[in-house]
């Protein structure tokens, strides 16, 4: 599909992409199928969209990238999670210790957990770790002092928080992670954590990098930005994105930038402008591990004259923030985000706590991430600025807990 150059779309315009009939069609489709939406009146520029296409290219690297895009952009209408659980006890007190309450990846899960807790009859208290390693540990200490039945640690680095997590477990407190550690589920190197809830970070990164390859027909010239070794998830996503880009002989990694996650607002603007000015027209895509990087980068790039619908095009390997949905919807710099079902993860965390309270093992469920682009930004909760799968997960969990 060839896209012509179009004029910038005002950030104050909210184009309507979806007709009622299209929503009806999409809602009746099986999981992982997708019907492309109509674009705005003027087409997007070449390279600004990674679209679903069932006709696979001959190049095996591009064919694999297209398969990943097709799957990740699909509609998640079929429940593929656990089909049985245990009776949910009443009057349980939980503390949610968020590394950064301004991070949609933390607060979106908290919102889902609050919903689930209200359905069961639990009490949930939020403590904000205020986006620094030291205050994170203070927040976790406060959580332990409250003697809840369970603590959720969100976006923590268990290497530094491990002693406190073990202390909580020794006190009989269940500790469940959200985006904490290196993998989904139970992690043997962090035995204090009952389980960790997240989509597979490697899959998230593969989807993001595959989007860049599909959009560029294999010729993406990218910069990567991450927090390096500060959190295990940062390095995992960064490496996995790089591995995908390197598979295409026409693609290139032009720059890699690492700095502490809590310094995004202070540093990302300058980093983005430096890459843009140094690399010039060679730089066509910017990949990050989280939407927050683009919150900070876009004002700085706009200030030096980068048009909203011009390269470098931005893609985030997580988390699917409302701001990212708006940018994608309005064709403003960011062309895609790889969203996790954050609210559904909150419900899953409640289910994992139910299992722990019943003396059972954690579930093995790992949700697949969702690629959000201009084609599908208005469905699966996108009209509200979130990815909320249409698989009826809320009722599924409530039925399981009532048994």
């Amino acid at each position: 599909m060839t896209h012509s150059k179009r004029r910038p779309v005002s950030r104050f315009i909210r184009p309507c992409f979806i007709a009622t009939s299209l929503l009806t069609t999409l809602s009746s489709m099986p999981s992982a199928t997708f019907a492309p939406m109509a674009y705005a009146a003027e087409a997007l520029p070449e390279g600004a969209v990674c679209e679903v296409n069932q006709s696979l290219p001959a190049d095996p690297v591009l064919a694999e990238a297209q398969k990943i895009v097709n799957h990740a952009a699909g509609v998640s209408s079929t429940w593929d999670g656990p089909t049985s659980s245990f009776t949910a006890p009443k009057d349980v007190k939980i503390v949610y210790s968020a590394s950064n309450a301004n991070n949609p990846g933390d607060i979106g899960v908290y919102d889902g957990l609050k919903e689930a807790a209200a359905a069961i009859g639990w009490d949930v208290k939020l403590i904000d770790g205020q986006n620094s390693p030291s205050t994170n540990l203070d927040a976790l200490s406060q959580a332990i002092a409250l003697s809840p039945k369970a603590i959720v640690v969100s976006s923590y680095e268990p290497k530094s928080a491990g002693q406190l997590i073990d202390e909580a477990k020794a006190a009989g407190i269940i500790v469940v992670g959200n985006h904490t550690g290196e993998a989904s589920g139970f992690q043997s190197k962090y035995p204090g954590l009952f389980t960790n809830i997240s989509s597979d970070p490697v899959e998230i990164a593969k989807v993001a990098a595959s989007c860049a390859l599909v959009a560029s027909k294999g010729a993406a010239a990218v910069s990567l930005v991450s927090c390096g070794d500060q959190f295990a998830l940062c390095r995992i996503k960064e490496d996995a994105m790089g591995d995908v880009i390197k598979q295409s002989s026409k693609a290139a990694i032009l720059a890699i930038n690492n700095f502490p996650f809590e310094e995004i607002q202070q540093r990302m603007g300058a980093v983005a402008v430096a890459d843009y000015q140094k690399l010039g027209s060679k730089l066509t895509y910017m990949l990050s591990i989280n939407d927050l990087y683009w919150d900070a980068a876009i004002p700085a790039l706009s200030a030096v004259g980068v048009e909203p619908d011009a390269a470098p095009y931005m893609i985030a390997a997580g988390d699917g923030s409302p701001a990212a949905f708006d940018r994608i919807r309005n064709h403003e710099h960011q062309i895609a985000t790889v969203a996790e079902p954050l609210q559904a993860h909150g419900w899953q965390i409640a289910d994992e706590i139910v299992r722990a309270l019943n003396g059972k093992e954690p579930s093995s469920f790992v949700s697949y991430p969702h690629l959000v682009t201009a084609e599908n930004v208005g469905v699966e909760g996108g009209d509200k600025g979130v990815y909320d799968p249409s698989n009826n997960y809320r009722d599924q969990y409530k039925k399981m807990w009532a048994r």
Side-chain angles (χ1 to χ4, degrees):
M1 179 176 180
T2 301
H3 301 296
S4 60
K5 180 72 176 176
R6 65 174 193 87
R7 296 187 301 275
V9 175
S10 168
R11 69 182 61 248
F12 299 107
I13 297 174
R14 294 293 184 265
C16 178
F17 295 103
I18 308 174
T20 302
S21 60
L22 179 56
L23 282 172
T24 303
T25 301
L26 285 170
S27 65
S28 64
M29 290 180 178
S31 179
T33 62
F34 176 68
M37 299 163 56
Y39 291 125
E42 297 176 86
L44 294 171
E46 187 71 33
V49 62
C50 50
E51 61 189 0
V52 170
N53 189 346
Q54 301 303 330
S55 298
L56 301 180
D59 183 328
V61 171
L62 285 184
E64 179 61 22
Q66 186 68 68
K67 289 179 184 177
I68 290 172
V69 165
N70 291 353
H71 179 51
V75 175
S76 305
S77 58
T78 301
W79 173 246
D80 59 351
T83 56
S84 64
S85 187
F86 304 92
T87 302
K90 303 294 184 182
D91 301 320
V92 171
K93 183 168 69 175
I94 300 170
V95 177
Y96 188 94
S97 185
S99 173
N100 177 8
N102 291 318
N103 179 9
D106 291 330
I107 210 65
V109 175
Y110 172 66
D111 289 341
L113 179 60
K114 278 197 305 180
E115 276 189 356
I120 299 172
W122 291 355
D123 175 64
V124 182
K125 177 181 176 61
L126 172 67
I127 298 179
D128 184 4
Q130 300 179 356
N131 198 30
S132 83
S134 61
T135 53
N136 278 186
L137 297 181
D138 290 342
L140 183 50
S141 294
Q142 292 174 42
I144 294 170
L146 293 172
S147 300
K149 286 286 187 181
I151 295 172
V152 180
V153 286
S154 184
S155 300
Y156 269 66
E157 175 48 66
K159 291 178 183 176
S160 59
Q163 183 175 340
L164 286 172
I165 290 172
D166 292 342
E167 179 183 321
K169 183 179 180 181
I173 301 171
I174 299 158
V175 184
V176 174
N178 168 57
H179 288 175
T180 295
E182 301 167 19
S184 303
F186 176 74
Q187 301 170 88
S188 58
K189 64 167 61 176
Y190 309 122
L193 279 175
F194 178 70
T195 190
N196 178 52
I197 306 305
S198 74
S199 300
D200 184 341
V202 173
E203 290 298 328
I204 293 170
K206 284 182 178 179
V207 172
S210 295
C211 175
L213 289 184
V214 167
S216 66
K217 296 181 175 58
V222 310
S223 65
L224 296 174
V225 61
S226 168
C227 68
D229 293 322
Q230 182 186 19
F231 296 104
L233 284 176
C234 297
R235 179 62 67 192
I236 289 168
K237 286 185 179 181
E238 178 188 321
D239 290 348
M241 284 192 287
D243 289 344
V244 171
I245 296 299
K246 291 172 186 176
Q247 289 177 18
S248 176
S249 60
K250 296 184 291 183
I253 299 172
L254 303 181
I256 297 176
N257 301 292
N258 288 316
F259 51 83
F261 193 77
E262 64 270 20
E263 296 178 8
I264 290 175
Q265 288 299 323
Q266 292 79 21
R267 296 182 59 176
M268 187 61 221
V271 167
V273 168
D275 279 352
Y276 176 71
Q277 292 179 334
K278 177 182 178 181
L279 301 171
S281 61
K282 294 178 182 178
L283 179 63
T284 53
Y285 295 85
M286 303 177 78
L287 305 182
S288 69
I289 61 154
N290 183 285
D291 291 310
L292 288 174
Y293 291 87
W294 306 144
D295 294 350
I298 287 172
L301 289 172
S302 296
V304 296
V306 179
E307 294 292 339
D309 62 346
Y313 304 116
M314 300 173 185
I315 300 169
D319 292 299
S321 71
F325 275 75
D326 271 350
R327 290 191 289 261
I328 293 165
R329 181 178 293 111
N330 296 318
H331 315 311
E332 294 177 350
H333 303 282
Q334 187 169 355
I335 67 168
T337 185
V338 185
E340 295 183 65
L342 300 176
Q343 290 180 321
H345 281 178
W347 281 75
Q348 184 181 352
I349 286 171
D351 183 58
E352 303 296 353
I353 294 171
V354 167
R355 293 168 188 272
L357 289 170
N358 279 276
K360 306 299 182 180
E361 296 295 313
S363 77
S364 58
F365 179 47
V366 179
S367 60
Y368 191 77
H370 180 62
L371 176 65
V372 180
T373 70
E375 286 188 298
N376 66 357
V377 68
V379 300
E380 297 274 89
D383 56 329
K384 299 178 180 66
V386 297
Y387 168 48
D388 198 29
S390 55
N391 56 17
N392 208 26
Y393 64 86
R394 293 174 176 88
D395 286 343
Q396 295 288 343
Y397 280 120
K398 285 189 280 190
K399 287 177 187 176
M400 289 188 284
W401 298 333
R403 293 180 182 177

